[in-house]
Amino acid sequence: MASFFPRVDFLFLLLFLFFMSSHSLRFGVSRRRAEEKPFIYDPSRVTQLSWSPRAFLYKGFLTENECDHLISRAKGKLERSMVANRQSGKAMLNEARTSSGYFFGKRQDAVIRRIERRIAEWTFLPEENGEGIHVLHYGLGQKYDTHPDYFQDKFNQENGGNRMATVLMYLSNVRKGGETVFPYAEAANTQPKDETYSECARNGFAVKPKKGDALLFFSCHVNATTNPRSVHRSCPVIEGEKWAATRWIRLRSYENQRGNNIQQ
Ligand code: PD2
Ligand code: ZN
């Protein structure tokens, strides 16, 4: 009888361990751990789209959960997007841009920190040069007409210099429309397009939004002068809605002396 009790204890311990491991699987602990694995750049997922402007697409750059996290943290805080005035740099309402948006602070939470680090690892551009991630929402018919991401005024370049590159992350799929189009890209009219592209995307190099994908393009040449071929537009959403997030990267360190709330 005396030797029976230790064996019961042992069986109980085994049952306990089994319960704990299935419990953590069920509640996503191991899935969360998997997502926190260090980012390993996978060149097979990156396509070079154009040399002028330099533009690249990374398939599956963000996980589904990361996309949903950015959307849920921005929802409820969105404000109508503004456009910087060319001369004064003042942010103003403009019918050319009808989306709404929300700026996160840099390193605002653990998921955002992880994404900011991943962007620096992919682009080889310093994390400190990045602005806070900006979430954008486009409802039906909403768009952003052709514009550059670089500034033409002096005021918006005081902190960190001009915007040299943009990482645009698509946080949702869009049933129709919502393409990002580069009308003056060197590859503009060689891209084959079928009827799944909207009318707005017919002229220019077009990228269709796909949840998790990230588009990197450079607004400046390697000598830091601005590249007018980098201008682009976001086509009106025709069916569904579009969520995206931008990370604008400056020529120099951008560490928030004036806040991150620059709108263009
Ligand atoms: O939402 C887009 O596709 C997009 C594309 C290019 C947005 C912006 N630029 C922007 O907000 O500057
Ligand atoms: Zn833009």
Side-chain angles (χ1 to χ4, degrees):
M1 220 35 200
S3 64
F4 178 72
F5 287 108
R7 229 185 293 160
V8 169
D9 283 354
F10 181 65
L11 281 175
F12 183 76
L13 181 68
L14 275 181
L15 271 171
F16 176 75
L17 287 174
F18 175 75
F19 173 78
M20 287 307 286
S21 63
S22 67
H23 185 271
S24 53
L25 274 177
R26 231 180 311 141
F27 289 93
V29 171
S30 20
R31 193 175 347 135
R32 267 204 306 281
R33 281 210 194 105
E35 277 189 9
E36 283 158 18
K37 274 190 201 154
F39 168 71
I40 298 170
Y41 170 67
D42 179 354
S44 70
R45 294 206 211 170
V46 179
T47 324
Q48 179 258 330
L49 306 178
S50 153
W51 281 123
S52 188
R54 278 171 292 147
F56 308 87
L57 185 71
Y58 198 124
K59 306 289 286 174
F61 183 72
L62 297 183
T63 64
E64 292 250 336
N65 287 352
E66 287 166 341
C67 295
D68 298 342
H69 176 85
L70 292 178
I71 293 173
S72 69
R73 291 224 49 197
K75 233 180 203 168
K77 298 185 195 139
L78 299 169
E79 285 180 17
R80 171 74 192 266
S81 304
M82 309 266 226
V83 176
N85 178 276
R86 266 189 197 206
Q87 277 80 39
S88 67
K90 224 176 141 228
M92 292 175 163
L93 283 181
N94 190 320
E95 277 313 299
R97 191 185 199 191
T98 53
S99 54
S100 43
Y102 176 71
F103 266 101
F104 287 108
K106 291 177 80 167
R107 305 173 280 274
Q108 192 165 321
D109 67 28
V111 176
I112 289 172
R113 272 200 299 278
R114 196 164 73 219
I115 297 170
E116 289 174 345
R117 195 176 325 127
R118 191 177 308 157
I119 289 171
E121 285 170 13
W122 176 32
T123 61
F124 295 109
L125 298 172
E127 233 177 287
E128 63 178 38
N129 291 26
E131 296 179 28
I133 287 176
H134 183 57
V135 169
L136 285 161
H137 177 253
Y138 300 80
L140 274 185
Q142 294 180 349
K143 46 128 198 197
Y144 191 1
D145 289 341
T146 305
H147 65 279
D149 277 4
Y150 53 78
F151 292 106
Q152 284 145 301
D153 68 280
K154 290 216 176 345
F155 174 72
N156 280 308
Q157 299 181 53
E158 277 169 15
N159 181 14
N162 219 335
R163 286 172 170 167
M164 69 168 302
T166 303
V167 175
L168 178 68
M169 296 161 278
Y170 298 107
L171 306 182
S172 71
N173 296 313
V174 184
R175 281 200 292 280
K176 183 130 199 213
E179 300 94 339
T180 306
V181 177
F182 296 85
Y184 306 114
E186 130 248 81
N189 294 313
T190 55
Q191 184 187 27
K193 292 196 194 103
D194 58 21
E195 67 296 337
T196 61
Y197 286 84
S198 70
E199 194 61 38
C200 153
R202 293 279 148 79
N203 291 318
F205 195 93
V207 181
K208 281 192 193 181
K210 178 150 188 304
K211 186 171 182 176
D213 289 358
L215 169 66
L216 161 67
F217 60 90
F218 287 79
S219 296
C220 287
H221 296 291
V222 284
N223 66 1
T225 59
T226 55
N227 181 0
R229 278 183 182 260
S230 68
V231 298
H232 50 273
R233 61 177 169 263
S234 176
C235 289
V237 169
I238 294 172
E239 263 182 66
E241 60 177 340
K242 173 179 173 184
W243 288 91
T246 54
R247 166 87 153 170
W248 287 294
I249 302 168
R250 301 290 185 126
L251 287 167
R252 296 187 291 280
S253 172
Y254 184 83
E255 280 298 355
N256 207 25
Q257 289 103 318
R258 264 196 294 108
N260 287 314
N261 292 327
I262 287 164
Q263 305 266 333
Q264 188 191 10

